[in-house]
Amino acid sequence: MFRTLPNYLKVAVCVKRVVDYTVKVRVKDNKVQTANSKMSVNPFDEIAMEEAIQLKEKKMADEVVAITIGSKKAEEVLRTAMALGCDKAMHVVVPEAAEESLESLAVARILQKLHEEIKPDIWVLGKQAVDGDFGCTAQLLAGLLDVPQGTFASKVEVTNQKITVTREVDAGRQVVELSMPCVLAADLRLNTPRFPKLPNIMKARKKPIDTKDVAAFGVDITPRLTTETVTEPAARKAGIKLKTVDEFYDKLHEAKVL
Amino acid sequence: MLRATALSLGKALVVAEMVGGKVSPATLAAITAASKVGPVTVLVAGASAKSEAQVLAKVKSVQNVLAVEAAQYSHGLPEEYAPLIDAVVRANSYTHVLAGTSAFGKNVIPRAAAKQCCMPIPEVTEIKDERTFVRQTYAGNAITTVKSSDKIMYCTLRGTAFPRAEVEGGSAEVVDFAATPAVGKAKFVADQISTSDKPDLATAATVISGGRGMKNGDNFKLLEELATPLRAAVGATRAVVDAGYVPNEMQVGQTGKTVAPNFYLACGISGAIQHVAGMKDSKVIAVVNTDPEAPFFQIADYGIVEDLFKVVPELTKRVKEAAGK
């Protein structure tokens, strides 16, 4: 309704609050201990936000909506999103007890419902969240919406209602052309995310956030995968430090690896 | 133990990935994993699916091969593959849909799962029983066992966690399956493949990796010189890929490739969590680093606090001498 410039695109970007990637988590009582860990924006989502904001700066997009699904505390990632330049923020609030077991499928189904409301031309997600390492929300969303997907994207170009995406694949790169609407999943080398500026952080504090309760979506968020056990990986036994290159070679030779 | 009773037996579909007429190592690992849940059917699609099906029919423990010869599947586009997988699943009621953890598998399997509204289970490292799977989370710092309640389980299998099925000795029946209508929402434009006659990073028995300590891309020649006589693959950390020293497909780590070779030699790599996540299952780990405090030394079997520019050429010399004898 408010989109007076017909060629401009609307971008929705999804952001997750995760344990900071530098934290080495501990496993205790059959659970990953996250209670007092430093939390941050999932690094791939920072890249997704940067791409969305760059599309706006290149005058390709005229509106960027940031979305998070999580407990009340997840609001802080939306403040970051707005400080970076996202225009609107939407928070789907999930009870704290259900947050940890919230699965990609439930997230994708909530986003599918939001698609009807927001009607974005492009969805940008990170390629994986560094906590669960599932890496499948973008694909699930694209599948549910039955729209094309540009996963592991390292370059995105928008021209004439088409998007050309360079994807990082096993043997190099693959270039595909997608029609819109579509779902993109940002890989590491898509861009270098900017830092929010202090005045913008202050301004972002006052911006409104559209808050919705997850119950309003009618999506069953009961996990399909129940966690039976969580353990620490087997520790490697301490190795030895060698003093000279000769010793180093001899030991490796003895171990039959050189 | 697997509950291999008639009642609980699954029916597994493996979505094959072919590379230059050969079955990809990740697919062979997926076939081994699939044989644990029940009889294995392999789906192969693309412009030359019929000849590729003959290759797959010889793979041990494959019972049936479904061949779908149609050009729209040739570049692994998930927009085309997902409806095909779904048509196959509906026709033959599989309980498991599996693929190797590769860029292809990670792209296609969740989209196919969405068609049945199932939750995918990516990067499985162990199958406990038909519904119970082990996978790593938090960059490999936690090992999680999950039980699925879905009607169909869509999984990708980590290639380094399962032995590869033998490519000879099988005699599967090949059946043609009808192609689904082309979707056309995504179009393949080009492949930008780095051609290399060197061993594949994901499957090499020896991997030599360089980190920021390599200082520039040219110095990777030092690693190549050691790698050649060892038939080793050369890997890298995110830092050096980002710096443009080497191409991205050489990245080992949480977001790059996962390797588990017999021997991993790390040169000038500090050992950040994200890198270690991609190689800590290697059998023997050796580390060369000038910094005695580098975290990598904590998981290395053999370490040396020394300049890699001194160590690597010396190792190359010694390896060549030993080979010459």
Side-chain angles (χ1 to χ4, degrees), chain B residues 27-304:
Chain B
T27 299
L28 292 171
I31 289 170
T32 303
S35 64
K36 296 190 171 195
V37 297
V40 181
T41 301
V42 177
L43 171 67
V44 61
S48 46
K50 282 190 181 164
S51 61
E52 289 169 344
Q54 298 304 324
V55 179
L56 283 158
K58 294 198 191 82
V59 177
K60 224 172 184 174
S61 48
V62 174
Q63 299 219 340
N64 294 289
V65 180
L66 300 178
V68 192
E69 192 150 292
Q72 75 253 33
Y73 307 113
S74 286
H75 300 287
L77 293 179
E79 294 79 2
E80 306 293 344
Y81 259 93
L84 173 66
I85 293 168
D86 203 45
V88 171
V89 164
R90 283 172 199 273
N92 297 332
S93 31
Y94 294 101
T95 57
H96 294 72
V97 178
L98 313 164
T101 301
S102 62
F104 168 76
K106 287 197 279 189
N107 201 20
V108 168
I109 291 294
R111 191 179 174 106
K115 296 260 172 205
Q116 293 279 351
C117 211
C118 291
M119 175 62 202
I121 313 162
E123 301 210 40
V124 170
T125 56
E126 190 188 336
I127 299 181
K128 294 250 187 197
D129 65 42
E130 308 85 48
R131 294 204 163 271
T132 317
F133 306 89
V134 181
R135 56 186 305 277
Q136 301 184 354
T137 55
Y138 289 91
N141 285 310
I143 313 289
T144 308
T145 305
V146 292
K147 186 167 189 168
S148 171
S149 61
D150 272 327
K151 57 185 187 294
I152 306 166
M153 281 144 281
Y154 291 82
C155 312
T156 66
L157 291 311
R158 201 173 259 197
T160 52
F162 297 89
R164 284 174 235 160
E166 288 171 41
V167 292
E168 293 292 336
S171 57
E173 192 190 348
V174 178
V175 183
D176 286 346
F177 193 90
T180 42
V183 176
K185 285 180 182 173
K187 204 175 89 191
F188 168 80
V189 178
D191 270 328
Q192 297 164 357
I193 303 297
S194 316
T195 47
S196 163
D197 49 358
K198 299 186 186 85
D200 180 34
L201 181 59
T203 56
T206 301
V207 172
I208 303 173
S209 282
R212 223 189 296 256
M214 296 301 296
K215 296 198 172 75
N216 62 50
D218 270 352
N219 289 335
F220 269 77
K221 281 186 195 139
L222 283 179
L223 303 190
E224 297 283 355
E225 277 165 29
L226 177 57
T228 308
L230 293 170
R231 296 277 311 138
V234 176
T237 63
R238 177 189 170 185
V240 301
V241 176
D242 282 353
Y245 296 176
V246 295
N248 66 283
E249 62 271 17
M250 283 170 65
Q251 186 186 326
V252 172
Q254 183 185 18
T255 65
K257 286 181 180 147
T258 307
V259 300
N262 284 332
F263 178 45
Y264 191 91
L265 177 62
C267 306
I269 305 177
S270 64
I273 300 169
Q274 289 74 23
H275 181 75
V276 169
M279 50 62 65
K280 69 186 164 59
D281 294 323
S282 307
K283 287 208 180 64
V284 177
I285 299 173
V287 170
V288 183
N289 204 310
T290 48
D291 175 12
E293 303 302 321
F296 226 144
F297 284 115
Q298 290 163 20
I299 63 154
D301 301 291
Y302 305 100
I304 181 163

Side-chain angles (χ1 to χ4, degrees), chain A residues 146 149 151 173 224 246, chain B residues 107 150 185 192 257 318:
Chain A
D146 203 15
Q149 65 192 52
T151 53
R173 296 189 166 88
R224 306 289 182 89
D246 280 344
Chain B
N107 201 20
D150 272 327
K185 285 180 182 173
Q192 297 164 357
K257 286 181 180 147
R318 299 285 301 259

Side-chain angles (χ1 to χ4, degrees), chain A residues 19 21-27 32 34 44 47 100 103-106 109 127-136 139-152 162 164 166-179 187-189 223-234 236-246 248-253 255 257-258, chain B residues 17 75 77-79 102-104 106-108 110-111 113-115 117-123 132 135-150 185-194 206 226 230 238 241-242 248-249 251 254-255 257 262-263 265 273-274 280-288 292 297 299-306 310-311 314-315 318-319 322:
Chain A
V19 173
Y21 73 99
T22 56
V23 173
K24 189 177 188 313
V25 296
R26 297 276 166 219
V27 178
V32 175
T34 56
F44 291 100
I47 299 170
E100 214 162 320
E103 289 173 349
S104 318
L105 180 66
R109 290 176 72 199
K127 80 159 175 179
Q128 79 191 69
V130 296
D131 49 4
D133 282 338
F134 276 89
C136 58
Q139 296 90 314
L140 285 166
L141 175 62
L144 292 171
L145 295 174
D146 203 15
V147 301
Q149 65 192 52
T151 53
F152 326 131
K162 293 268 183 199
T164 308
T166 305
R167 307 177 51 239
E168 298 205 352
V169 295
D170 298 323
R173 296 189 166 88
Q174 182 191 58
V175 185
V176 291
E177 191 183 88
L178 312 176
S179 61
D187 211 327
L188 278 174
R189 278 166 281 277
R224 306 289 182 89
L225 305 178
T226 47
T227 302
E228 301 220 307
T229 58
V230 183
T231 56
E232 286 211 343
R236 291 185 77 99
K237 65 177 188 332
I240 47 170
K241 268 191 194 170
L242 288 319
K243 296 231 158 38
T244 68
V245 185
D246 280 344
F248 188 59
Y249 173 82
D250 289 342
K251 284 286 175 195
L252 293 175
H253 193 66
V257 294
L258 274 189
Chain B
E17 185 180 10
H75 300 287
L77 293 179
E79 294 79 2
S102 62
F104 168 76
K106 287 197 279 189
N107 201 20
V108 168
R111 191 179 174 106
K115 296 260 172 205
C117 211
C118 291
M119 175 62 202
I121 313 162
E123 301 210 40
T132 317
R135 56 186 305 277
Q136 301 184 354
T137 55
Y138 289 91
N141 285 310
I143 313 289
T144 308
T145 305
V146 292
K147 186 167 189 168
S148 171
S149 61
D150 272 327
K185 285 180 182 173
K187 204 175 89 191
F188 168 80
V189 178
D191 270 328
Q192 297 164 357
I193 303 297
S194 316
T206 301
L226 177 57
L230 293 170
R238 177 189 170 185
V241 176
D242 282 353
N248 66 283
E249 62 271 17
Q251 186 186 326
Q254 183 185 18
T255 65
K257 286 181 180 147
N262 284 332
F263 178 45
L265 177 62
I273 300 169
Q274 289 74 23
K280 69 186 164 59
D281 294 323
S282 307
K283 287 208 180 64
V284 177
I285 299 173
V287 170
V288 183
F297 284 115
I299 63 154
D301 301 291
Y302 305 100
I304 181 163
V305 182
E306 182 61 271
K310 186 181 157 197
V311 177
E314 182 63 24
L315 291 181
R318 299 285 301 259
V319 166

Side-chain angles (χ1 to χ4, degrees), chain A residues 20-202:
Chain A
D20 190 86
Y21 73 99
T22 56
V23 173
K24 189 177 188 313
V25 296
R26 297 276 166 219
V27 178
K28 210 179 130 197
D29 306 330
N30 234 353
K31 202 171 166 297
V32 175
Q33 299 299 311
T34 56
N36 296 312
S37 299
K38 183 188 172 199
M39 305 295 280
S40 306
V41 175
N42 178 39
F44 291 100
D45 302 348
E46 290 184 335
I47 299 170
M49 277 195 281
E50 175 67 31
E51 197 63 20
I53 295 158
Q54 284 186 17
L55 282 171
K56 207 175 115 181
E57 286 170 348
K58 287 181 208 154
K59 306 262 185 270
M60 295 287 181
D62 62 348
E63 187 175 53
V64 178
V65 185
I67 301 159
T68 197
I69 303 175
S71 69
K72 290 229 159 58
K73 288 176 186 160
E75 185 185 306
E76 65 195 41
V77 300
L78 293 177
R79 296 288 167 203
T80 307
M82 286 192 291
L84 287 167
C86 294
D87 302 292
K88 286 185 183 169
M90 202 174 263
H91 184 178
V92 178
V93 182
V94 172
E96 202 153 341
E99 188 182 38
E100 214 162 320
S101 62
L102 189 69
E103 289 173 349
S104 318
L105 180 66
V107 168
R109 290 176 72 199
I110 294 165
L111 297 177
Q112 181 191 13
K113 300 251 165 160
L114 281 175
H115 185 80
E116 297 306 312
E117 188 183 327
I118 306 169
K119 293 193 172 34
D121 302 284
I122 307 173
W123 282 94
V124 198
L125 284 74
K127 80 159 175 179
Q128 79 191 69
V130 296
D131 49 4
D133 282 338
F134 276 89
C136 58
T137 308
Q139 296 90 314
L140 285 166
L141 175 62
L144 292 171
L145 295 174
D146 203 15
V147 301
Q149 65 192 52
T151 53
F152 326 131
S154 60
K155 194 176 170 193
V156 173
E157 286 169 298
V158 184
T159 43
N160 297 331
Q161 296 300 305
K162 293 268 183 199
I163 300 190
T164 308
V165 181
T166 305
R167 307 177 51 239
E168 298 205 352
V169 295
D170 298 323
R173 296 189 166 88
Q174 182 191 58
V175 185
V176 291
E177 191 183 88
L178 312 176
S179 61
M180 282 188 264
C182 65
V183 180
L184 305 180
D187 211 327
L188 278 174
R189 278 166 281 277
L190 183 58
N191 58 48
T192 307
R194 70 193 72 185
F195 292 100
K197 294 193 177 80
L198 186 61
N200 294 347
I201 294 173
M202 304 305 283

